[in-house]
Amino acid sequence: MRALRSSRVATFAAVTAAALGLAAGAAGSASAATSPWLTGSQMPQNTYFHWQAEPQTRYTTTGDFQWLYTCGSGDPIRELHTSSVSAEQFGAKAHDVQGGQILFHFSSSAKASAALRKIESDYATCVGRIDHGAVDENTGKAVHAGVERTAWLQSGVSYRVEIRNNLGRPAALPDLPSDAQEFFVQRGDTISFVDIEGGNRYVDVTKGSLNVLKTMAARLG
């Protein structure tokens, strides 16, 4: 299983967007009166990381992706039936930490709702898929994952993912973070996905997760 994070595909996606003739900064429903994009202060654990939104990284594309969230199992175009994807990165003052927001756009509310159910199913089966496929680059041994649902609301859910090697240390994997928090909210024909990840103990702090989900829902309108 491979999960290529949003921040790691920025260059690829920008090129793809340009090739498709999509203007930099285009964001589908982001032009609505209520913007779906979070500010830095609304990101998870902003007290520790002091997130800064980077609008210059924002793009919209219909191009192919490798998976964009930790427990995914395929390309979102095929697995979730998205019509397009928008993304923005967030910078942090802490080293080895990154954050981002992705908007999955769909042709109907029904398809977006079905996609959220697929995402929840992906997290329910995540541990087995990681444990039977991922190998730590430092030890050459299989890793063990832990997935915790940290908060939920109607059409919204968040998770904490922790992956450790056979020595109990944060796993070194080419495409998967050792520690991450991931948030999903569906409203209408859009799913908002927020992610923070990295080798910092504050990434694992889940206090405030429900407030993040509520903020994401309010942003979607």
Side-chain angles (χ1 to χ4, degrees), residues 135-219:
V135 175
D136 184 89
E137 291 184 324
N138 294 329
T139 68
K141 303 292 185 179
V143 302
H144 177 65
V147 176
E148 173 192 4
R149 188 174 71 160
T150 58
W152 58 92
L153 44 72
Q154 185 176 8
S155 299
V157 63
S158 61
Y159 301 92
R160 183 176 71 88
V161 180
E162 177 184 279
I163 308 176
R164 296 293 180 262
N165 65 18
N166 57 302
L167 302 177
R169 297 169 182 164
L173 299 167
D175 298 319
L176 292 171
S178 65
D179 297 79
Q181 283 197 65
E182 299 176 304
F183 302 76
F184 302 88
V185 174
Q186 180 249 328
R187 290 291 183 273
D189 60 2
T190 302
I191 291 177
S192 177
F193 161 50
V194 168
D195 160 82
I196 65 170
E197 62 181 62
N200 186 298
R201 63 191 178 95
Y202 291 115
V203 169
D204 295 323
V205 177
T206 60
K207 183 179 180 180
S209 294
L210 181 58
N211 287 336
V212 174
L213 289 177
K214 289 180 177 178
T215 300
M216 292 167 66
R219 281 292 194 173

Side-chain angles (χ1 to χ4, degrees), residues 33 49 58 63 74 82 85 102 104 112 125 187-188 190 200-201 205:
F49 298 124
R58 192 181 299 175
T82 59
V85 175
I102 293 177
F104 295 113
T125 60
R187 290 291 183 273
T190 302
N200 186 298
R201 63 191 178 95
V205 177

